Amino acid sequence: MSKKALYLLGIAVTIILGTFLYLKFCCNCCVKTPAPDFKKESVTIAQDGNFVPFILSGSGIEYHTNDNLKFLKNSSALIMPISDSVSIGIDKLKSLLITSPKQKITIIGYATSDETNTTKFENLGLARANDVKNYFLSKGFNSAQFDTKGEIVEKWKTSSDTLLGLVEYQFETLDTTAVAHDEWNILKEKINADPLILYFNTNKSSNALTDVEKQKVADIGKYVKNVKEATVLVVGHSDNVGNRDANITLAQKRAEFIKNYLSKNGIEASRIKTESKGPDEPIENNTTAEGKAKNRRTVITIN
């Protein structure tokens, strides 16, 4: 066999042997490794169900937190300090009660039947309710807005020797009609305590109102609109210069001027009564110019 043939045979053997070895030992290099799954497994976090939530639920407030006030077994004293989340709820309650002075709340305290009551109260639950009330009062609450009540139960949720919660808050349903009535009574007292009084120049029966006087007219209109039985009384007065009968007529014209003004500003004329006192009821001495100016007036009040 020639050298050339041997050379070609060697090349062929090398190729065949190389192919065999590659298939036997390196083929696995071509197999793709599955990409790792980076999806997060859903983790269920076990919640500690051993709590009694702090709940304030009433007209104008809805607050809930899983923390709460705490008491030691057989004790009526709150464990201090109060948590931040409960303090936030107490602050919200204070804001509500300031804006709703008619709102009342019953604090219901609980105790278990196996606890010992060493307080002056008839039961430990009532003692706890009163301790909570006293804590509220120390924060600036109004005592008149709280009642207390105590109840005994068979068992309560505890953590070691600490009882969780033990207090509930019962909001009294407000009589909205009574609240509205009080609101209008307050407005009436405001109007009549500082009545609208208009002063007039000599022999004049008309006047321009200031911004303050216009606001008083607005308050009168608001009251009359919302209190259907209300009426407005306008009384005209004069100084004592000239004929009395003429002053009676002039004072009546002053009262009629105000009546017309009020009716143009939304108050029904049929609900406005006018009177004239003329010079008969002065508030200052008619011997001075200043006194006469004070007597030339018209007074508007609510009946």
Side-chain angles (χ1 to χ4, degrees), residues 182-196 212 215-220 222-223 300-302:
D182 287 344
E183 177 186 348
W184 300 126
N185 280 342
I186 292 170
L187 181 57
K188 179 180 179 180
E189 289 175 4
K190 173 188 173 185
I191 291 169
N192 289 344
D194 183 22
L196 174 58
V212 172
Q215 180 57 54
K216 289 186 176 183
V217 169
D219 286 343
I220 292 169
K222 180 180 179 182
Y223 180 85
I300 302 94
T301 54
I302 295 291

PDB file of all heavy atoms in Angstrom, residues 182-196 212 215-220 222-223 300-302:
ATOM      1  N   ASP A 182     -81.959  72.333  69.083  1.00  0.00           N
ATOM      2  CA  ASP A 182     -80.975  73.030  69.917  1.00  0.00           C
ATOM      3  C   ASP A 182     -80.145  73.992  69.080  1.00  0.00           C
ATOM      4  O   ASP A 182     -79.826  75.104  69.524  1.00  0.00           O
ATOM      5  CB  ASP A 182     -80.052  72.018  70.600  1.00  0.00           C
ATOM      6  CG  ASP A 182     -80.759  71.272  71.725  1.00  0.00           C
ATOM      7  OD1 ASP A 182     -81.830  71.733  72.158  1.00  0.00           O
ATOM      8  OD2 ASP A 182     -80.247  70.230  72.154  1.00  0.00           O
ATOM      9  N   GLU A 183     -79.807  73.571  67.871  1.00  0.00           N
ATOM     10  CA  GLU A 183     -79.014  74.429  66.994  1.00  0.00           C
ATOM     11  C   GLU A 183     -79.744  75.730  66.692  1.00  0.00           C
ATOM     12  O   GLU A 183     -79.161  76.825  66.744  1.00  0.00           O
ATOM     13  CB  GLU A 183     -78.714  73.683  65.685  1.00  0.00           C
ATOM     14  CG  GLU A 183     -77.939  74.519  64.666  1.00  0.00           C
ATOM     15  CD  GLU A 183     -77.781  73.808  63.338  1.00  0.00           C
ATOM     16  OE1 GLU A 183     -78.067  72.592  63.264  1.00  0.00           O
ATOM     17  OE2 GLU A 183     -77.379  74.476  62.357  1.00  0.00           O
ATOM     18  N   TRP A 184     -81.045  75.638  66.409  1.00  0.00           N
ATOM     19  CA  TRP A 184     -81.808  76.851  66.077  1.00  0.00           C
ATOM     20  C   TRP A 184     -82.051  77.706  67.320  1.00  0.00           C
ATOM     21  O   TRP A 184     -82.085  78.935  67.236  1.00  0.00           O
ATOM     22  CB  TRP A 184     -83.125  76.464  65.403  1.00  0.00           C
ATOM     23  CG  TRP A 184     -82.904  75.691  64.142  1.00  0.00           C
ATOM     24  CD1 TRP A 184     -83.418  74.480  63.801  1.00  0.00           C
ATOM     25  CD2 TRP A 184     -82.055  76.078  63.047  1.00  0.00           C
ATOM     26  NE1 TRP A 184     -82.950  74.076  62.579  1.00  0.00           N
ATOM     27  CE2 TRP A 184     -82.121  75.043  62.087  1.00  0.00           C
ATOM     28  CE3 TRP A 184     -81.244  77.181  62.792  1.00  0.00           C
ATOM     29  CZ2 TRP A 184     -81.407  75.083  60.904  1.00  0.00           C
ATOM     30  CZ3 TRP A 184     -80.525  77.229  61.599  1.00  0.00           C
ATOM     31  CH2 TRP A 184     -80.610  76.194  60.669  1.00  0.00           C
ATOM     32  N   ASN A 185     -82.188  77.067  68.484  1.00  0.00           N
ATOM     33  CA  ASN A 185     -82.312  77.851  69.717  1.00  0.00           C
ATOM     34  C   ASN A 185     -81.064  78.680  69.979  1.00  0.00           C
ATOM     35  O   ASN A 185     -81.135  79.843  70.406  1.00  0.00           O
ATOM     36  CB  ASN A 185     -82.578  76.933  70.916  1.00  0.00           C
ATOM     37  CG  ASN A 185     -84.038  76.523  71.007  1.00  0.00           C
ATOM     38  OD1 ASN A 185     -84.906  77.153  70.409  1.00  0.00           O
ATOM     39  ND2 ASN A 185     -84.317  75.470  71.754  1.00  0.00           N
ATOM     40  N   ILE A 186     -79.927  78.075  69.708  1.00  0.00           N
ATOM     41  CA  ILE A 186     -78.659  78.789  69.888  1.00  0.00           C
ATOM     42  C   ILE A 186     -78.579  79.980  68.941  1.00  0.00           C
ATOM     43  O   ILE A 186     -78.154  81.076  69.323  1.00  0.00           O
ATOM     44  CB  ILE A 186     -77.468  77.826  69.663  1.00  0.00           C
ATOM     45  CG1 ILE A 186     -77.410  76.791  70.788  1.00  0.00           C
ATOM     46  CG2 ILE A 186     -76.154  78.598  69.571  1.00  0.00           C
ATOM     47  CD1 ILE A 186     -76.434  75.664  70.544  1.00  0.00           C
ATOM     48  N   LEU A 187     -79.013  79.776  67.680  1.00  0.00           N
ATOM     49  CA  LEU A 187     -78.984  80.869  66.708  1.00  0.00           C
ATOM     50  C   LEU A 187     -79.950  81.983  67.124  1.00  0.00           C
ATOM     51  O   LEU A 187     -79.621  83.174  67.011  1.00  0.00           O
ATOM     52  CB  LEU A 187     -79.331  80.346  65.321  1.00  0.00           C
ATOM     53  CG  LEU A 187     -79.328  81.384  64.182  1.00  0.00           C
ATOM     54  CD1 LEU A 187     -77.978  82.087  64.086  1.00  0.00           C
ATOM     55  CD2 LEU A 187     -79.705  80.746  62.857  1.00  0.00           C
ATOM     56  N   LYS A 188     -81.121  81.606  67.625  1.00  0.00           N
ATOM     57  CA  LYS A 188     -82.092  82.614  68.061  1.00  0.00           C
ATOM     58  C   LYS A 188     -81.521  83.442  69.208  1.00  0.00           C
ATOM     59  O   LYS A 188     -81.659  84.683  69.239  1.00  0.00           O
ATOM     60  CB  LYS A 188     -83.392  81.936  68.498  1.00  0.00           C
ATOM     61  CG  LYS A 188     -84.466  82.912  68.984  1.00  0.00           C
ATOM     62  CD  LYS A 188     -85.730  82.178  69.405  1.00  0.00           C
ATOM     63  CE  LYS A 188     -86.796  83.164  69.904  1.00  0.00           C
ATOM     64  NZ  LYS A 188     -88.035  82.472  70.313  1.00  0.00           N
ATOM     65  N   GLU A 189     -80.890  82.765  70.171  1.00  0.00           N
ATOM     66  CA  GLU A 189     -80.288  83.473  71.296  1.00  0.00           C
ATOM     67  C   GLU A 189     -79.202  84.432  70.814  1.00  0.00           C
ATOM     68  O   GLU A 189     -79.068  85.552  71.328  1.00  0.00           O
ATOM     69  CB  GLU A 189     -79.712  82.466  72.293  1.00  0.00           C
ATOM     70  CG  GLU A 189     -80.781  81.685  73.053  1.00  0.00           C
ATOM     71  CD  GLU A 189     -80.186  80.598  73.939  1.00  0.00           C
ATOM     72  OE1 GLU A 189     -78.932  80.512  74.001  1.00  0.00           O
ATOM     73  OE2 GLU A 189     -80.953  79.849  74.555  1.00  0.00           O
ATOM     74  N   LYS A 190     -78.438  83.994  69.828  1.00  0.00           N
ATOM     75  CA  LYS A 190     -77.385  84.852  69.267  1.00  0.00           C
ATOM     76  C   LYS A 190     -77.986  86.099  68.619  1.00  0.00           C
ATOM     77  O   LYS A 190     -77.503  87.225  68.818  1.00  0.00           O
ATOM     78  CB  LYS A 190     -76.581  84.066  68.227  1.00  0.00           C
ATOM     79  CG  LYS A 190     -75.566  84.903  67.460  1.00  0.00           C
ATOM     80  CD  LYS A 190     -74.953  84.104  66.328  1.00  0.00           C
ATOM     81  CE  LYS A 190     -74.072  84.995  65.445  1.00  0.00           C
ATOM     82  NZ  LYS A 190     -73.549  84.255  64.267  1.00  0.00           N
ATOM     83  N   ILE A 191     -79.059  85.910  67.843  1.00  0.00           N
ATOM     84  CA  ILE A 191     -79.698  87.034  67.146  1.00  0.00           C
ATOM     85  C   ILE A 191     -80.286  88.030  68.139  1.00  0.00           C
ATOM     86  O   ILE A 191     -80.086  89.250  68.008  1.00  0.00           O
ATOM     87  CB  ILE A 191     -80.804  86.508  66.205  1.00  0.00           C
ATOM     88  CG1 ILE A 191     -80.169  85.727  65.031  1.00  0.00           C
ATOM     89  CG2 ILE A 191     -81.663  87.656  65.667  1.00  0.00           C
ATOM     90  CD1 ILE A 191     -81.170  84.948  64.210  1.00  0.00           C
ATOM     91  N   ASN A 192     -80.985  87.533  69.147  1.00  0.00           N
ATOM     92  CA  ASN A 192     -81.672  88.427  70.089  1.00  0.00           C
ATOM     93  C   ASN A 192     -80.738  89.024  71.141  1.00  0.00           C
ATOM     94  O   ASN A 192     -81.031  90.082  71.707  1.00  0.00           O
ATOM     95  CB  ASN A 192     -82.824  87.697  70.767  1.00  0.00           C
ATOM     96  CG  ASN A 192     -83.984  87.447  69.806  1.00  0.00           C
ATOM     97  OD1 ASN A 192     -84.051  88.069  68.747  1.00  0.00           O
ATOM     98  ND2 ASN A 192     -84.871  86.551  70.162  1.00  0.00           N
ATOM     99  N   ALA A 193     -79.603  88.333  71.415  1.00  0.00           N
ATOM    100  CA  ALA A 193     -78.652  88.873  72.389  1.00  0.00           C
ATOM    101  C   ALA A 193     -77.910  90.082  71.813  1.00  0.00           C
ATOM    102  O   ALA A 193     -77.535  90.997  72.553  1.00  0.00           O
ATOM    103  CB  ALA A 193     -77.659  87.790  72.805  1.00  0.00           C
ATOM    104  N   ASP A 194     -77.703  90.068  70.518  1.00  0.00           N
ATOM    105  CA  ASP A 194     -77.045  91.198  69.848  1.00  0.00           C
ATOM    106  C   ASP A 194     -77.886  91.551  68.621  1.00  0.00           C
ATOM    107  O   ASP A 194     -77.507  91.287  67.483  1.00  0.00           O
ATOM    108  CB  ASP A 194     -75.622  90.807  69.440  1.00  0.00           C
ATOM    109  CG  ASP A 194     -74.851  91.958  68.799  1.00  0.00           C
ATOM    110  OD1 ASP A 194     -75.228  93.120  69.037  1.00  0.00           O
ATOM    111  OD2 ASP A 194     -73.885  91.675  68.069  1.00  0.00           O
ATOM    112  N   PRO A 195     -79.064  92.152  68.830  1.00  0.00           N
ATOM    113  CA  PRO A 195     -80.033  92.331  67.738  1.00  0.00           C
ATOM    114  C   PRO A 195     -79.541  93.303  66.662  1.00  0.00           C
ATOM    115  O   PRO A 195     -78.654  94.138  66.902  1.00  0.00           O
ATOM    116  CB  PRO A 195     -81.264  92.873  68.454  1.00  0.00           C
ATOM    117  CG  PRO A 195     -80.738  93.535  69.674  1.00  0.00           C
ATOM    118  CD  PRO A 195     -79.558  92.719  70.102  1.00  0.00           C
ATOM    119  N   LEU A 196     -80.149  93.159  65.508  1.00  0.00           N
ATOM    120  CA  LEU A 196     -79.888  94.104  64.423  1.00  0.00           C
ATOM    121  C   LEU A 196     -80.576  95.428  64.765  1.00  0.00           C
ATOM    122  O   LEU A 196     -81.793  95.496  64.902  1.00  0.00           O
ATOM    123  CB  LEU A 196     -80.438  93.537  63.109  1.00  0.00           C
ATOM    124  CG  LEU A 196     -80.387  94.457  61.895  1.00  0.00           C
ATOM    125  CD1 LEU A 196     -78.968  94.912  61.586  1.00  0.00           C
ATOM    126  CD2 LEU A 196     -81.005  93.759  60.675  1.00  0.00           C
ATOM    127  N   VAL A 212     -71.637  94.027  58.380  1.00  0.00           N
ATOM    128  CA  VAL A 212     -72.008  93.354  59.636  1.00  0.00           C
ATOM    129  C   VAL A 212     -73.529  93.263  59.758  1.00  0.00           C
ATOM    130  O   VAL A 212     -74.088  92.229  60.143  1.00  0.00           O
ATOM    131  CB  VAL A 212     -71.415  94.104  60.842  1.00  0.00           C
ATOM    132  CG1 VAL A 212     -71.951  93.525  62.158  1.00  0.00           C
ATOM    133  CG2 VAL A 212     -69.891  94.017  60.824  1.00  0.00           C
ATOM    134  N   GLN A 215     -74.911  90.642  57.471  1.00  0.00           N
ATOM    135  CA  GLN A 215     -74.725  89.295  58.004  1.00  0.00           C
ATOM    136  C   GLN A 215     -75.798  88.962  59.032  1.00  0.00           C
ATOM    137  O   GLN A 215     -76.291  87.833  59.097  1.00  0.00           O
ATOM    138  CB  GLN A 215     -73.338  89.158  58.633  1.00  0.00           C
ATOM    139  CG  GLN A 215     -73.038  87.778  59.217  1.00  0.00           C
ATOM    140  CD  GLN A 215     -73.183  86.664  58.195  1.00  0.00           C
ATOM    141  OE1 GLN A 215     -72.575  86.706  57.133  1.00  0.00           O
ATOM    142  NE2 GLN A 215     -74.006  85.660  58.499  1.00  0.00           N
ATOM    143  N   LYS A 216     -76.189  89.955  59.820  1.00  0.00           N
ATOM    144  CA  LYS A 216     -77.263  89.738  60.790  1.00  0.00           C
ATOM    145  C   LYS A 216     -78.583  89.467  60.085  1.00  0.00           C
ATOM    146  O   LYS A 216     -79.381  88.629  60.530  1.00  0.00           O
ATOM    147  CB  LYS A 216     -77.380  90.942  61.727  1.00  0.00           C
ATOM    148  CG  LYS A 216     -76.220  91.076  62.703  1.00  0.00           C
ATOM    149  CD  LYS A 216     -76.455  92.189  63.712  1.00  0.00           C
ATOM    150  CE  LYS A 216     -75.327  92.250  64.737  1.00  0.00           C
ATOM    151  NZ  LYS A 216     -75.559  93.263  65.779  1.00  0.00           N
ATOM    152  N   VAL A 217     -78.815  90.147  58.980  1.00  0.00           N
ATOM    153  CA  VAL A 217     -80.013  89.880  58.177  1.00  0.00           C
ATOM    154  C   VAL A 217     -79.975  88.437  57.664  1.00  0.00           C
ATOM    155  O   VAL A 217     -80.991  87.723  57.671  1.00  0.00           O
ATOM    156  CB  VAL A 217     -80.124  90.872  57.002  1.00  0.00           C
ATOM    157  CG1 VAL A 217     -81.211  90.432  56.025  1.00  0.00           C
ATOM    158  CG2 VAL A 217     -80.416  92.276  57.515  1.00  0.00           C
ATOM    159  N   ALA A 218     -78.782  87.988  57.232  1.00  0.00           N
ATOM    160  CA  ALA A 218     -78.633  86.613  56.730  1.00  0.00           C
ATOM    161  C   ALA A 218     -78.935  85.601  57.831  1.00  0.00           C
ATOM    162  O   ALA A 218     -79.583  84.573  57.581  1.00  0.00           O
ATOM    163  CB  ALA A 218     -77.222  86.408  56.184  1.00  0.00           C
ATOM    164  N   ASP A 219     -78.480  85.876  59.064  1.00  0.00           N
ATOM    165  CA  ASP A 219     -78.754  84.962  60.186  1.00  0.00           C
ATOM    166  C   ASP A 219     -80.259  84.899  60.481  1.00  0.00           C
ATOM    167  O   ASP A 219     -80.799  83.821  60.736  1.00  0.00           O
ATOM    168  CB  ASP A 219     -78.006  85.430  61.433  1.00  0.00           C
ATOM    169  CG  ASP A 219     -76.509  85.161  61.361  1.00  0.00           C
ATOM    170  OD1 ASP A 219     -76.100  84.340  60.524  1.00  0.00           O
ATOM    171  OD2 ASP A 219     -75.757  85.775  62.137  1.00  0.00           O
ATOM    172  N   ILE A 220     -80.907  86.059  60.426  1.00  0.00           N
ATOM    173  CA  ILE A 220     -82.359  86.092  60.661  1.00  0.00           C
ATOM    174  C   ILE A 220     -83.079  85.282  59.585  1.00  0.00           C
ATOM    175  O   ILE A 220     -83.978  84.487  59.872  1.00  0.00           O
ATOM    176  CB  ILE A 220     -82.867  87.549  60.682  1.00  0.00           C
ATOM    177  CG1 ILE A 220     -82.328  88.281  61.913  1.00  0.00           C
ATOM    178  CG2 ILE A 220     -84.399  87.592  60.678  1.00  0.00           C
ATOM    179  CD1 ILE A 220     -82.559  89.783  61.894  1.00  0.00           C
ATOM    180  N   LYS A 222     -81.896  82.823  57.800  1.00  0.00           N
ATOM    181  CA  LYS A 222     -81.594  81.397  57.991  1.00  0.00           C
ATOM    182  C   LYS A 222     -82.491  80.801  59.066  1.00  0.00           C
ATOM    183  O   LYS A 222     -83.041  79.703  58.905  1.00  0.00           O
ATOM    184  CB  LYS A 222     -80.123  81.234  58.373  1.00  0.00           C
ATOM    185  CG  LYS A 222     -79.679  79.795  58.606  1.00  0.00           C
ATOM    186  CD  LYS A 222     -78.208  79.756  58.973  1.00  0.00           C
ATOM    187  CE  LYS A 222     -77.743  78.326  59.238  1.00  0.00           C
ATOM    188  NZ  LYS A 222     -76.307  78.286  59.649  1.00  0.00           N
ATOM    189  N   TYR A 223     -82.657  81.530  60.171  1.00  0.00           N
ATOM    190  CA  TYR A 223     -83.485  81.029  61.270  1.00  0.00           C
ATOM    191  C   TYR A 223     -84.944  80.903  60.841  1.00  0.00           C
ATOM    192  O   TYR A 223     -85.581  79.867  61.053  1.00  0.00           O
ATOM    193  CB  TYR A 223     -83.368  81.966  62.476  1.00  0.00           C
ATOM    194  CG  TYR A 223     -84.195  81.506  63.660  1.00  0.00           C
ATOM    195  CD1 TYR A 223     -83.695  80.576  64.550  1.00  0.00           C
ATOM    196  CD2 TYR A 223     -85.489  81.986  63.853  1.00  0.00           C
ATOM    197  CE1 TYR A 223     -84.451  80.131  65.627  1.00  0.00           C
ATOM    198  CE2 TYR A 223     -86.256  81.545  64.927  1.00  0.00           C
ATOM    199  CZ  TYR A 223     -85.735  80.615  65.801  1.00  0.00           C
ATOM    200  OH  TYR A 223     -86.493  80.165  66.854  1.00  0.00           O
ATOM    201  N   ILE A 300     -84.561  94.921  65.364  1.00  0.00           N
ATOM    202  CA  ILE A 300     -85.121  93.717  64.731  1.00  0.00           C
ATOM    203  C   ILE A 300     -84.770  92.508  65.583  1.00  0.00           C
ATOM    204  O   ILE A 300     -83.590  92.228  65.837  1.00  0.00           O
ATOM    205  CB  ILE A 300     -84.573  93.532  63.300  1.00  0.00           C
ATOM    206  CG1 ILE A 300     -84.891  94.770  62.449  1.00  0.00           C
ATOM    207  CG2 ILE A 300     -85.145  92.279  62.661  1.00  0.00           C
ATOM    208  CD1 ILE A 300     -83.796  95.794  62.422  1.00  0.00           C
ATOM    209  N   THR A 301     -85.784  91.781  66.019  1.00  0.00           N
ATOM    210  CA  THR A 301     -85.564  90.577  66.824  1.00  0.00           C
ATOM    211  C   THR A 301     -86.431  89.431  66.307  1.00  0.00           C
ATOM    212  O   THR A 301     -87.288  89.614  65.438  1.00  0.00           O
ATOM    213  CB  THR A 301     -85.911  90.829  68.316  1.00  0.00           C
ATOM    214  OG1 THR A 301     -87.246  91.345  68.397  1.00  0.00           O
ATOM    215  CG2 THR A 301     -84.937  91.817  68.940  1.00  0.00           C
ATOM    216  N   ILE A 302     -86.213  88.225  66.884  1.00  0.00           N
ATOM    217  CA  ILE A 302     -86.955  87.022  66.512  1.00  0.00           C
ATOM    218  C   ILE A 302     -87.968  86.713  67.606  1.00  0.00           C
ATOM    219  O   ILE A 302     -87.656  86.763  68.795  1.00  0.00           O
ATOM    220  CB  ILE A 302     -86.006  85.830  66.342  1.00  0.00           C
ATOM    221  CG1 ILE A 302     -85.044  86.057  65.177  1.00  0.00           C
ATOM    222  CG2 ILE A 302     -86.796  84.539  66.126  1.00  0.00           C
ATOM    223  CD1 ILE A 302     -85.677  86.037  63.828  1.00  0.00           C
TER     224      ILE A 302
END
